[in-house]
Every structure is written in C-alpha cells, then in structure tokens.
Amino acid sequence: MTKADNTPLVGIVMGSDSDLKVMSKAADMLEELGIRYETRIISAHREPDVLVEWAGSAQAKGIRVIVAGAGMAAALPGMCAALTVLPVIGVPLSGKNLDGMDAVFSIMQMPPGIPVATVAIDGAKNAALLAAKILALSDSELSAGLKDYSSRQREQVLAKDAKLQEKGYKEYLA
Ligand code: RP5
C-alpha cells in the first residue's frame, strides 16, 4: 500500500442507511487493519443510475475490492458485479421479515459468469477481512498485519480457556 496515497482501496456500499449499523463493522475492521476505504449508500432499485456511475467508475478511482451489503431482494452486490471486473463481496443483511434468508439467496444465487463472494448473514466483519486478504496478495505489510490479527485472536481464545479452567463455568458466567 502506498501510504501517501489517499485513494480508497475498498468500496463499502449499502442499499440503505438502515444497513449502516451492520455495515459499519466492515469499516471498523478495515480501520483496524489500516486499509483505506469509502462508504456509500446507493440503492440498486431506487437509484440504479447512481449505482451504474459509482460501480462503473470504481476501478478507475483506485478501488480494488467492493464490499456490498443489502437486505430483502438485495440486488446491489450482483449489480455491482455486473458493472465492474473488481471482486465483489456480498453481505446479506437480516431484514425484518425473513431473517436475511431472502438476501442470502439473492446474493448467493448469481448466474454463471457474474460471481459474488457471499459471507454470512450480517457478516460485514468477515467481508472486510476477505477484502483485506485479497489486497494482501500484493501487499506484504498488510499480509503481516493479517497474521498479527490471527495471532491476537488465538491469544484471546487461549486467555478465555485459561480463565475457564481457573474459575470454572459458574464463576466465568457470573
Ligand atoms: C434494501 O432494502 C436495503 O439494502 C435494505 O436492507 C432494505 C430496506 O431498505 P429501507 O426501506 O430501510 O431503506 O434495498
């Protein structure tokens, strides 16, 4: 990564501001890893012209991975993938009615030729980590940062297990 450059490398896009609370987890993760990003609210259904402009120009702007979150009919990730050759990671968001199963099927069931990598329902953090892993293929500093992140996770689980052994489950949960 060129530190002097302020160009976002990841484009986080979501269909509505009602998606922002979940999608902010992707931004948090990218910040933790020191990856530049931009966040946009663009609705594939309500303003397709804006999406065509944004996704169609993302690569030229320097964006290298798109993380797209949407709920319900969730056309956004698939439409991004149709509009750019950049890798697109889709985040199905749990809506009010079908617990996100509607968005999972919309995002996951892309036709052959237009792939979208789909993470878990509300899995914005993992979408950011997957974006980071894609970027790390050509960024050794970021690759080292991801290894550090994995080590920290390991230490956290080891500490939790040590606490459980020491306290027992009742005190652990108290
Ligand atoms: C989708 O419709 C959005 O991604 C959002 O998850 C859902 C509901 O949108 P709002 O009615 O809250 O704007 O396009």
mmCIF file of all heavy atoms in Angstrom, residues 126-148:
data_model
loop_
_atom_site.group_PDB
_atom_site.id
_atom_site.type_symbol
_atom_site.label_atom_id
_atom_site.label_comp_id
_atom_site.label_asym_id
_atom_site.label_seq_id
_atom_site.Cartn_x
_atom_site.Cartn_y
_atom_site.Cartn_z
ATOM 1 N N ASN A 126 -16.386 -10.172 8.381
ATOM 2 C CA ASN A 126 -15.692 -11.153 7.549
ATOM 3 C C ASN A 126 -15.538 -10.663 6.114
ATOM 4 O O ASN A 126 -14.541 -10.981 5.457
ATOM 5 C CB ASN A 126 -16.447 -12.487 7.557
ATOM 6 C CG ASN A 126 -15.920 -13.418 8.637
ATOM 7 O OD1 ASN A 126 -15.036 -13.067 9.402
ATOM 8 N ND2 ASN A 126 -16.468 -14.617 8.696
ATOM 9 N N ALA A 127 -16.496 -9.899 5.637
ATOM 10 C CA ALA A 127 -16.363 -9.346 4.288
ATOM 11 C C ALA A 127 -15.135 -8.445 4.222
ATOM 12 O O ALA A 127 -14.366 -8.482 3.251
ATOM 13 C CB ALA A 127 -17.623 -8.570 3.910
ATOM 14 N N ALA A 128 -14.933 -7.646 5.255
ATOM 15 C CA ALA A 128 -13.758 -6.766 5.295
ATOM 16 C C ALA A 128 -12.473 -7.581 5.371
ATOM 17 O O ALA A 128 -11.477 -7.263 4.714
ATOM 18 C CB ALA A 128 -13.861 -5.819 6.484
ATOM 19 N N LEU A 129 -12.492 -8.637 6.174
ATOM 20 C CA LEU A 129 -11.293 -9.481 6.277
ATOM 21 C C LEU A 129 -10.991 -10.172 4.953
ATOM 22 O O LEU A 129 -9.828 -10.300 4.556
ATOM 23 C CB LEU A 129 -11.476 -10.525 7.386
ATOM 24 C CG LEU A 129 -11.201 -10.004 8.796
ATOM 25 C CD1 LEU A 129 -11.752 -10.969 9.840
ATOM 26 C CD2 LEU A 129 -9.704 -9.791 9.003
ATOM 27 N N LEU A 130 -12.023 -10.608 4.259
ATOM 28 C CA LEU A 130 -11.809 -11.236 2.951
ATOM 29 C C LEU A 130 -11.264 -10.211 1.954
ATOM 30 O O LEU A 130 -10.343 -10.518 1.179
ATOM 31 C CB LEU A 130 -13.131 -11.847 2.454
ATOM 32 C CG LEU A 130 -13.088 -12.659 1.163
ATOM 33 C CD1 LEU A 130 -12.015 -13.744 1.200
ATOM 34 C CD2 LEU A 130 -14.457 -13.291 0.909
ATOM 35 N N ALA A 131 -11.790 -9.009 2.002
ATOM 36 C CA ALA A 131 -11.258 -7.936 1.151
ATOM 37 C C ALA A 131 -9.782 -7.696 1.474
ATOM 38 O O ALA A 131 -8.945 -7.536 0.575
ATOM 39 C CB ALA A 131 -12.069 -6.651 1.350
ATOM 40 N N ALA A 132 -9.465 -7.699 2.763
ATOM 41 C CA ALA A 132 -8.071 -7.482 3.183
ATOM 42 C C ALA A 132 -7.175 -8.602 2.658
ATOM 43 O O ALA A 132 -6.039 -8.359 2.221
ATOM 44 C CB ALA A 132 -7.995 -7.411 4.707
ATOM 45 N N LYS A 133 -7.665 -9.827 2.691
ATOM 46 C CA LYS A 133 -6.859 -10.952 2.198
ATOM 47 C C LYS A 133 -6.616 -10.833 0.697
ATOM 48 O O LYS A 133 -5.540 -11.189 0.212
ATOM 49 C CB LYS A 133 -7.549 -12.280 2.528
ATOM 50 C CG LYS A 133 -7.490 -12.586 4.023
ATOM 51 C CD LYS A 133 -8.023 -13.954 4.355
ATOM 52 C CE LYS A 133 -7.794 -14.221 5.844
ATOM 53 N NZ LYS A 133 -7.780 -15.656 6.159
ATOM 54 N N ILE A 134 -7.585 -10.341 -0.026
ATOM 55 C CA ILE A 134 -7.395 -10.128 -1.474
ATOM 56 C C ILE A 134 -6.314 -9.064 -1.688
ATOM 57 O O ILE A 134 -5.390 -9.245 -2.477
ATOM 58 C CB ILE A 134 -8.731 -9.737 -2.138
ATOM 59 C CG1 ILE A 134 -9.710 -10.925 -2.100
ATOM 60 C CG2 ILE A 134 -8.501 -9.268 -3.579
ATOM 61 C CD1 ILE A 134 -11.142 -10.564 -2.486
ATOM 62 N N LEU A 135 -6.419 -7.971 -0.952
ATOM 63 C CA LEU A 135 -5.423 -6.899 -1.079
ATOM 64 C C LEU A 135 -4.039 -7.361 -0.638
ATOM 65 O O LEU A 135 -3.021 -6.941 -1.201
ATOM 66 C CB LEU A 135 -5.851 -5.689 -0.244
ATOM 67 C CG LEU A 135 -7.123 -4.974 -0.690
ATOM 68 C CD1 LEU A 135 -7.547 -3.941 0.347
ATOM 69 C CD2 LEU A 135 -6.922 -4.301 -2.047
ATOM 70 N N ALA A 136 -4.002 -8.250 0.357
ATOM 71 C CA ALA A 136 -2.722 -8.705 0.908
ATOM 72 C C ALA A 136 -1.933 -9.558 -0.082
ATOM 73 O O ALA A 136 -0.724 -9.746 0.094
ATOM 74 C CB ALA A 136 -2.952 -9.477 2.207
ATOM 75 N N LEU A 137 -2.583 -10.047 -1.120
ATOM 76 C CA LEU A 137 -1.865 -10.824 -2.137
ATOM 77 C C LEU A 137 -0.749 -10.004 -2.776
ATOM 78 O O LEU A 137 0.256 -10.549 -3.229
ATOM 79 C CB LEU A 137 -2.844 -11.298 -3.229
ATOM 80 C CG LEU A 137 -3.847 -12.379 -2.804
ATOM 81 C CD1 LEU A 137 -4.884 -12.587 -3.902
ATOM 82 C CD2 LEU A 137 -3.128 -13.692 -2.499
ATOM 83 N N SER A 138 -0.932 -8.693 -2.796
ATOM 84 C CA SER A 138 0.097 -7.835 -3.397
ATOM 85 C C SER A 138 0.587 -6.783 -2.405
ATOM 86 O O SER A 138 1.032 -5.707 -2.807
ATOM 87 C CB SER A 138 -0.467 -7.151 -4.651
ATOM 88 O OG SER A 138 -1.640 -6.443 -4.318
ATOM 89 N N ASP A 139 0.484 -7.087 -1.103
ATOM 90 C CA ASP A 139 0.875 -6.113 -0.080
ATOM 91 C C ASP A 139 1.427 -6.875 1.120
ATOM 92 O O ASP A 139 0.670 -7.364 1.952
ATOM 93 C CB ASP A 139 -0.353 -5.270 0.308
ATOM 94 C CG ASP A 139 -0.010 -4.154 1.284
ATOM 95 O OD1 ASP A 139 0.961 -4.291 2.059
ATOM 96 O OD2 ASP A 139 -0.741 -3.158 1.301
ATOM 97 N N SER A 140 2.753 -6.980 1.198
ATOM 98 C CA SER A 140 3.364 -7.803 2.250
ATOM 99 C C SER A 140 3.141 -7.205 3.640
ATOM 100 O O SER A 140 3.012 -7.930 4.627
ATOM 101 C CB SER A 140 4.857 -7.984 1.979
ATOM 102 O OG SER A 140 5.478 -6.735 1.868
ATOM 103 N N GLU A 141 3.057 -5.865 3.724
ATOM 104 C CA GLU A 141 2.815 -5.232 5.023
ATOM 105 C C GLU A 141 1.425 -5.605 5.545
ATOM 106 O O GLU A 141 1.234 -5.943 6.716
ATOM 107 C CB GLU A 141 2.927 -3.712 4.858
ATOM 108 C CG GLU A 141 2.992 -2.952 6.147
ATOM 109 C CD GLU A 141 3.055 -1.437 5.903
ATOM 110 O OE1 GLU A 141 3.573 -1.011 4.866
ATOM 111 O OE2 GLU A 141 2.561 -0.708 6.772
ATOM 112 N N LEU A 142 0.462 -5.580 4.654
ATOM 113 C CA LEU A 142 -0.898 -5.962 5.038
ATOM 114 C C LEU A 142 -0.965 -7.454 5.375
ATOM 115 O O LEU A 142 -1.658 -7.857 6.317
ATOM 116 C CB LEU A 142 -1.873 -5.612 3.908
ATOM 117 C CG LEU A 142 -3.330 -5.978 4.127
ATOM 118 C CD1 LEU A 142 -3.875 -5.397 5.422
ATOM 119 C CD2 LEU A 142 -4.172 -5.496 2.945
ATOM 120 N N SER A 143 -0.235 -8.249 4.624
ATOM 121 C CA SER A 143 -0.194 -9.691 4.903
ATOM 122 C C SER A 143 0.321 -9.928 6.327
ATOM 123 O O SER A 143 -0.239 -10.741 7.085
ATOM 124 C CB SER A 143 0.711 -10.373 3.871
ATOM 125 O OG SER A 143 0.707 -11.747 4.053
ATOM 126 N N ALA A 144 1.358 -9.192 6.722
ATOM 127 C CA ALA A 144 1.891 -9.311 8.087
ATOM 128 C C ALA A 144 0.849 -8.850 9.101
ATOM 129 O O ALA A 144 0.686 -9.453 10.171
ATOM 130 C CB ALA A 144 3.163 -8.487 8.216
ATOM 131 N N GLY A 145 0.113 -7.797 8.767
ATOM 132 C CA GLY A 145 -0.942 -7.308 9.661
ATOM 133 C C GLY A 145 -2.035 -8.341 9.870
ATOM 134 O O GLY A 145 -2.565 -8.486 10.970
ATOM 135 N N LEU A 146 -2.356 -9.071 8.814
ATOM 136 C CA LEU A 146 -3.381 -10.123 8.941
ATOM 137 C C LEU A 146 -2.877 -11.277 9.798
ATOM 138 O O LEU A 146 -3.638 -11.876 10.568
ATOM 139 C CB LEU A 146 -3.786 -10.619 7.544
ATOM 140 C CG LEU A 146 -4.745 -9.694 6.795
ATOM 141 C CD1 LEU A 146 -4.833 -10.067 5.322
ATOM 142 C CD2 LEU A 146 -6.140 -9.738 7.423
ATOM 143 N N LYS A 147 -1.581 -11.571 9.676
ATOM 144 C CA LYS A 147 -1.013 -12.630 10.527
ATOM 145 C C LYS A 147 -1.061 -12.197 11.991
ATOM 146 O O LYS A 147 -1.382 -12.991 12.875
ATOM 147 C CB LYS A 147 0.416 -12.950 10.089
ATOM 148 C CG LYS A 147 0.441 -13.814 8.844
ATOM 149 C CD LYS A 147 1.857 -14.101 8.366
ATOM 150 C CE LYS A 147 1.787 -14.782 6.996
ATOM 151 N NZ LYS A 147 2.929 -14.515 6.150
ATOM 152 N N ASP A 148 -0.763 -10.938 12.257
ATOM 153 C CA ASP A 148 -0.851 -10.406 13.629
ATOM 154 C C ASP A 148 -2.288 -10.511 14.146
ATOM 155 O O ASP A 148 -2.518 -10.854 15.303
ATOM 156 C CB ASP A 148 -0.431 -8.929 13.672
ATOM 157 C CG ASP A 148 1.063 -8.770 13.555
ATOM 158 O OD1 ASP A 148 1.783 -9.775 13.659
ATOM 159 O OD2 ASP A 148 1.518 -7.628 13.320
#
